[in-house]
Amino acid sequence: MKRLLAACAVAAVSLAGASAAPIQSPSDFLGFPVGADRKIADYRQIVSYFRMLDSASPRVEVQDLGKTTLGEDMIMAVISSEQNVANSRRIREVARRLADPRGLSDADAETLVREGKVVLLITCNIHSTEIGASQMAMEWAHALATAEDAETKRRLENVVLLLVPSLNPDGQMMETGWYRKNLGTKFEGSRMPWLYHHYVGHDNNRDWFMLTQKETRAMSRVMYHEWFPQIFLDEHQMGSTGPRIFVPPYADPVDPDIHPLVWRDVNVIGANMAMRLEQAGKSGVIYGYSYDAYWPGGTKNTGWWKNMSGLLTEVASVRFATPIVIPPGELAGGRKGLVEYGPQTNFPNPWPGGAWRLRDIVDYERIASDAILETCAERREDFLRNMLARSRAAIAAAGPRDAWRIPSDQPDRPSAVQLARLMNEHNVEVFTAGNGDFWIPLAQPYGKFVNEMFTPQRYPEVKLVAGKEIVRPYDVSAWTLPLMMGVRVEKTTLPEGLARYRPLAEPTPEPSGGAFALKPGSPENAKVVNAALRARGASVTIARAPLTQAGQTWPAGTVFLDAAGARAAAPVLPDSAVEWEPVASAPASVEKVRAPRVGLYKPWAASMDEGWTRWVLEQYGFDPKSVDNKTVRAGRLAEKFDAIVLPDVEKEVIANGKPRVEEGGMRYFADLPPEYAGGLEKEGAKALADFVEAGGTLVAFDSASDWVIESFNIPVRNVLYRAKADDFSSAGALVRLHVTPGHPVTDGLPEEVAAFVDDSTVFQTAAGGAELQRWVLAAYPESSRDVLLSGWIRGEDRLARRAAAVAMTYGKGKIVLLGFRPQHRAQTHGTFPFLFNALYWSTAAERPK
Ligand SMILES: [Zn+2]
């Protein structure tokens, strides 16, 4: 509709232009000035404002990117000159060709560079407490839609801006709701006691290579399938007591595989941001601080391996929208790039302290946003040519027949299929061979991304000054997908005769209506098993030892679905890609599997590990019920649950709701409203002990094991409890574990798995009383040299030979302690079975032998 109007408007412009009502500013629209103290527009208001802009201005077109997790509209505003907005299809096509220049001649490429526009993506407010940018977006969009000065028009002629006012609309609604509810009370500006993304909270910016959440997937589609932006800025906020704004250049380390022109683009833009801020009298601008150029989990980070120049800004926060005052003595460095707070080359004009308010955040972000738009317009041809150069270099970095092969023959073939599908979703070209192998040639635009995801990480031990201490990883240090997913891959030479892989278009054998057996070992089996368990009258059984019947041999862990179960599970077969075989009937001497009733502990100190656990369990067809402190303390848990899971939450938070205080650290902990205060306390510990005594199963991940060890009288200790960082330290690394076969929790698992550890928990067990049985389910290798598979660890010798996962009986029930994170960020498919199997084990009627 808008395009037609735009075409007609040319003739009428002199008349209509004179009489058209001015486009309403966001302040008029909202009824308060944008950025005013204690005033905040919620996401639905923001969307209404953008939709109004769309209908009022030919420079603005709102695109709907789909629904969020909780059903909000995800929107993105395309903002450019009227002509560019009308011509956006062609601009996208040029951007796509520059991002994938295979077959493009130099002359044609140069024509595209001359013709093309810079596609600049700016995302705001992925972290929902970092609220400023969601407000700034309205103000900026209005300014761009209404400005008549030659400079703004020139910028909009050269650049197509894709502006996403919030990358987590659900959290924006939650946080503004929480803030408004507590306004004027002692809890004004307090943190919310639950995650600001329904499943993943702050980790929504850790999901950009695994693509699990709706918001991530929608944005990833925009970036790598539709618009191919050359430049991307993600706007964040940081703590209150350091610099006022971080702009690029980034801090060390830098990944050497990323094309250096990424950093050249980024640094030119960052330098202009800093200059424009300084000219506007904004102090406290820093670069080369805290945020590195190495880790690929964040929005703009993943793009570096896809030849995109991704930038970050971080502005100092207030108490959501409530102003704060920082006395000079509270200002502190203490982070990479600023050890002591004071002037230095990357921070020439420190902010002196004083009042800091939402309006300051909006101002800093607005200036930085204008500066990136300015540089993109100024450097249009450079940035397009650089994109072309990076894409060409990525394609040329590999030989024409260099490829990764994902063999069809796998211990866990369904997870191999999931990996191939994930690469395809990243717009990586994946091929299939007649035998079911997947092939990924490396001479393609995103070949470097594939290499980064498939190759073990070796963290560069960069030192800022001579001495022992290295720059610590910003986040995790390992993201090797085949290891995490338990999939074998090899780098080899591409054969002839491959076909392009089209996920879910492959024919799936339909079960004939009879019973079938599932090949054990894949987490995907749980989707099928749980679908069958939900069906009335279906029978699901499992072989607890190897079985032979009618010439067929079934390994321990094989699950059998009867005809009713098979029918119920048929709809999930294509998605799960499980391997199954028809059987006449389930063999005798199998154990019945029941649907476990799962309780998942949810502390009020919002736990991302809790959210990820809930996500994984729901995705795999379990039906976990959240249990809060009050529910646990009320007891009678055995009536409701077979298993209760304690996610990776530190023992102090479980015990009393307050995080641990470091030696000599601040003891202050801001109160939550009384209904969210406290932890399990003594009654909760007693209730969980009663639950297990009576036959329940308690499963704890990582540091929650410390709470179990302290609260239950069990013969196990954590060898690394409060280990000094000099002695042992790890940052999200992948380690090798040897799995002990012959236990319901390990049935079907391979002999060796890669487990994700993050300053993890390592067990020493001992013999308990005669009534107590214990099992080491998985252990570290004998030699410390064999421990690390990917990432960074100091002190591997502390892990060698120790137990990583243990189980024991306790009264009539069981305890399972997993010293690693079996479900870490929904990435570690290879260790999901530890969790799933423990849940099925909880329903076993018999006391384990
Ligand atoms: Zn953030």
Side-chain angles (χ1 to χ4, degrees):
M1 193 63 191
K2 173 171 282 174
R3 283 197 192 91
L4 285 178
L5 286 176
C8 305
V10 178
V13 73
S14 55
L15 292 172
S19 61
I23 296 174
Q24 203 176 18
S25 74
S27 297
D28 286 344
F29 186 87
L30 297 165
F32 61 83
V34 169
D37 292 349
R38 297 186 171 81
K39 295 283 188 189
I40 214 82
D42 67 36
Y43 183 72
R44 288 177 198 162
Q45 292 174 294
I46 294 171
V47 172
S48 305
Y49 184 72
F50 272 93
R51 294 211 191 280
M52 184 280 287
L53 274 187
D54 172 297
S55 59
S57 167
R59 295 184 194 166
V60 181
E61 185 176 288
V62 170
Q63 296 195 342
D64 281 278
L65 308 183
K67 294 288 184 188
T68 64
T69 302
L70 298 182
E72 300 290 335
D73 293 337
M74 266 189 95
I75 63 155
M76 176 174 84
V78 180
I79 303 177
S80 193
S81 70
E82 182 172 350
Q83 198 184 10
N84 287 345
V85 171
N87 197 27
S88 69
R89 190 182 288 267
R90 173 64 191 163
I91 292 169
R92 275 158 59 163
E93 177 56 19
V94 173
R96 189 188 68 76
R97 287 301 276 140
L98 295 175
D100 183 1
R102 285 175 291 183
L104 195 63
S105 72
D106 287 352
D108 288 348
E110 191 52 31
T111 307
L112 291 180
V113 165
R114 298 248 173 75
E115 177 195 346
K117 309 296 173 185
V118 172
V119 178
L120 164 64
L121 170 64
I122 298 189
T123 52
C124 302
N125 185 233
I126 183 173
H127 290 149
S128 307
T129 48
E130 303 165 14
I131 200 71
S134 71
Q135 313 293 298
M136 183 278 297
M138 289 181 289
E139 189 174 282
W140 193 35
H142 175 257
L144 295 174
T146 56
E148 291 302 332
D149 62 288
E151 174 59 19
T152 305
K153 286 184 170 174
R154 187 183 68 89
R155 292 178 188 178
L156 295 179
E157 273 158 24
N158 285 289
V159 182
V160 174
L161 168 65
L162 309 177
L163 181 61
V164 178
S166 176
L167 203 37
N168 179 18
D170 297 343
Q172 211 279 359
M173 289 304 295
M174 288 184 212
E175 289 287 353
T176 51
W178 176 254
Y179 181 75
R180 287 168 178 171
K181 180 177 166 216
N182 292 298
L183 206 56
T185 74
K186 70 178 257 203
F187 304 112
E188 176 174 322
S190 66
R191 68 182 171 79
M192 206 168 62
W194 47 86
L195 295 169
Y196 59 55
H197 178 282
H198 183 62
Y199 292 109
V200 305
H202 195 82
D203 272 358
N204 60 357
N205 203 27
R206 308 288 183 264
D207 191 39
W208 294 83
F209 55 83
M210 203 65 199
L211 305 181
T212 68
Q213 301 300 308
K214 279 185 161 181
E215 296 80 8
T216 324
R217 298 176 72 177
M219 204 62 232
S220 184
R221 208 159 47 236
V222 167
M223 287 192 270
Y224 308 121
H225 290 262
E226 293 169 4
W227 278 95
F228 306 92
Q230 298 87 25
I231 312 287
F232 174 21
L233 166 63
D234 192 30
E235 303 204 15
H236 286 247
Q237 288 171 220
M238 56 185 172
S240 308
T241 56
R244 295 301 91 187
I245 186 172
F246 162 82
V247 299
Y250 291 97
D252 276 312
V254 58
D255 186 293
D257 295 329
I258 298 167
H259 198 291
L261 276 174
V262 165
W263 311 127
R264 298 306 176 191
D265 285 2
V266 162
N267 296 353
V268 163
I269 295 167
N272 191 49
M273 286 175 170
M275 185 183 75
R276 294 299 182 213
L277 284 157
E278 209 66 58
Q279 285 176 329
K282 305 296 183 194
S283 61
V285 182
I286 196 165
Y287 69 86
Y289 171 73
S290 191
Y291 309 98
D292 71 26
Y294 178 77
W295 162 77
T299 40
K300 84 287 171 194
N301 312 47
T302 309
W304 297 331
W305 283 268
K306 293 180 168 181
N307 315 315
M308 202 181 72
S309 296
L311 293 94
L312 168 75
T313 55
E314 296 266 359
V315 179
S317 294
V318 293
R319 283 171 64 79
F320 201 71
T322 301
I324 57 174
V325 174
I326 309 279
E330 281 182 15
L331 290 166
R335 300 186 75 176
K336 179 167 48 176
L338 187 71
V339 176
E340 297 293 339
Y341 192 90
Q344 49 184 46
T345 56
N346 65 337
F347 189 51
N349 182 19
W351 184 66
W356 188 248
R357 37 185 24 108
L358 180 61
R359 186 63 233 180
D360 294 315
I361 298 171
V362 171
D363 285 344
Y364 275 63
E365 287 174 338
R366 175 70 191 283
I367 294 166
S369 300
D370 273 322
I372 192 173
L373 182 63
E374 178 190 13
T375 312
C376 286
E378 201 75 45
R379 297 281 189 168
R380 182 183 64 83
E381 289 199 8
D382 275 327
F383 287 173
L384 298 184
R385 211 169 269 124
N386 290 352
M387 182 73 186
L388 176 70
R390 293 190 295 263
S391 307
R392 281 186 163 159
I395 295 161
R401 307 217 70 83
D402 290 350
W404 285 98
R405 170 177 173 248
I406 309 177
S408 161
D409 177 25
Q410 296 271 349
D412 175 9
R413 157 94 178 153
S415 290
V417 175
Q418 305 304 334
L419 179 58
R421 287 178 185 165
L422 173 62
M423 288 299 112
N424 193 81
E425 190 168 349
H426 274 288
N427 208 1
V428 167
E429 289 171 3
V430 181
F431 293 83
T432 49
N435 67 352
D437 286 1
F438 295 109
W439 287 89
I440 304 179
L442 285 170
Q444 61 170 309
Y446 297 166
K448 279 189 177 184
F449 170 73
V450 179
N451 261 341
E452 182 65 23
M453 291 294 125
F454 278 33
T455 311
Q457 279 71 47
R458 290 287 170 261
Y459 185 70
E461 297 205 334
V462 176
K463 294 172 185 178
L464 292 184
V465 292
K468 188 168 141 208
E469 212 30 72
I470 61 155
V471 171
R472 292 303 178 95
Y474 176 74
D475 188 78
V476 301
S477 62
W479 40 84
T480 320
L481 289 175
L483 285 176
M484 288 200 280
M485 297 178 76
V487 175
R488 274 196 308 118
V489 296
E490 58 173 354
K491 213 168 189 176
T492 176
T493 304
L494 200 67
E496 303 289 341
L498 299 175
R500 184 76 190 263
Y501 173 54
R502 305 272 171 220
L504 296 175
E506 61 213 323
T508 321
E510 282 279 326
S512 60
F516 65 72
L518 282 170
K519 182 183 168 188
S522 179
E524 298 298 317
N525 289 350
K527 290 177 182 165
V528 175
V529 169
N530 289 334
L533 289 173
R534 278 195 298 274
R536 194 176 278 273
S539 164
V540 182
T541 51
I542 184 164
R544 284 295 173 211
L547 285 176
T548 304
Q549 176 179 284
Q552 277 178 301
T553 299
W554 311 106
T558 304
V559 171
F560 301 91
L561 274 64
D562 71 353
R567 268 195 307 279
V572 302
L573 291 179
D575 174 54
S576 62
V578 295
E579 294 181 287
W580 55 271
E581 264 185 83
V583 289
S585 63
S589 74
V590 289
E591 187 179 297
K592 198 160 172 50
V593 180
R594 291 190 295 122
R597 298 169 304 160
V598 180
L600 175 59
Y601 175 62
K602 186 175 191 173
W604 292 123
S607 158
M608 286 179 278
D609 203 59
E610 180 276 326
W612 282 115
T613 309
R614 186 157 36 87
W615 164 259
V616 168
L617 291 177
E618 288 180 13
Q619 289 307 298
Y620 283 81
F622 293 94
D623 182 24
K625 301 278 185 277
S626 293
V627 285
D628 61 15
N629 293 316
K630 200 170 136 196
T631 309
V632 176
R633 288 195 301 247
R636 307 181 68 140
L637 296 164
E639 292 168 19
K640 287 173 263 181
F641 303 111
D642 299 303
I644 290 178
V645 179
L646 301 178
D648 176 29
V649 177
E650 64 180 13
K651 73 170 189 178
E652 288 82 358
V653 170
I654 300 176
N656 59 40
K658 293 182 185 177
R660 176 160 76 101
V661 180
E662 297 288 342
E663 197 72 35
M666 180 86 72
R667 295 207 68 81
Y668 177 74
F669 177 74
D671 283 339
L672 284 169
E675 62 269 40
Y676 307 112
L680 288 183
E681 317 295 339
K682 285 212 169 64
E683 311 103 272
K686 164 90 169 56
L688 276 179
D690 290 348
F691 165 71
V692 182
E693 288 272 6
T697 297
L698 185 63
V699 182
F701 303 159
D702 204 339
S703 58
S705 304
D706 290 330
W707 182 85
V708 177
I709 290 169
E710 197 167 286
S711 308
F712 285 68
N713 178 29
I714 48 176
V716 54
R717 73 182 183 99
N718 172 9
V719 178
L720 290 181
Y721 183 67
R722 306 280 138 97
K724 293 268 184 289
D726 275 355
D727 186 24
F728 178 82
S729 184
S730 77
L734 288 164
V735 294
R736 189 193 313 270
L737 297 185
H738 292 302
V739 177
T740 315
H743 189 279
V745 176
T746 58
D747 274 347
L749 279 163
E751 280 168 30
E752 236 182 66
V753 295
F756 182 91
V757 297
D758 189 51
D759 275 341
S760 285
T761 306
V762 177
F763 303 113
Q764 161 111 46
T765 51
E771 83 297 348
L772 186 142
Q773 286 179 277
R774 72 191 190 291
W775 300 267
V776 170
L777 302 173
Y780 287 94
E782 284 287 317
S783 162
S784 61
R785 282 197 311 277
D786 297 332
V787 169
L788 183 64
L789 289 169
S790 184
W792 182 81
I793 282 190
R794 172 183 291 162
E796 292 100 309
D797 53 309
R798 300 296 308 273
L799 302 175
R801 274 195 337 276
R802 302 284 191 186
V806 298
M808 64 210 71
T809 56
Y810 188 91
K812 290 182 183 155
K814 309 149 202 155
I815 294 173
V816 178
L817 303 179
L818 305 175
F820 47 93
R821 298 201 204 148
Q823 74 335 346
H824 174 72
R825 292 177 182 165
Q827 294 165 6
T828 50
H829 293 231
T831 51
F832 290 174
F834 281 97
L835 169 59
F836 299 167
N837 290 347
L839 298 179
Y840 293 126
W841 189 38
S842 75
T843 71
E846 295 297 307
R847 198 183 138 90
K849 287 191 274 293

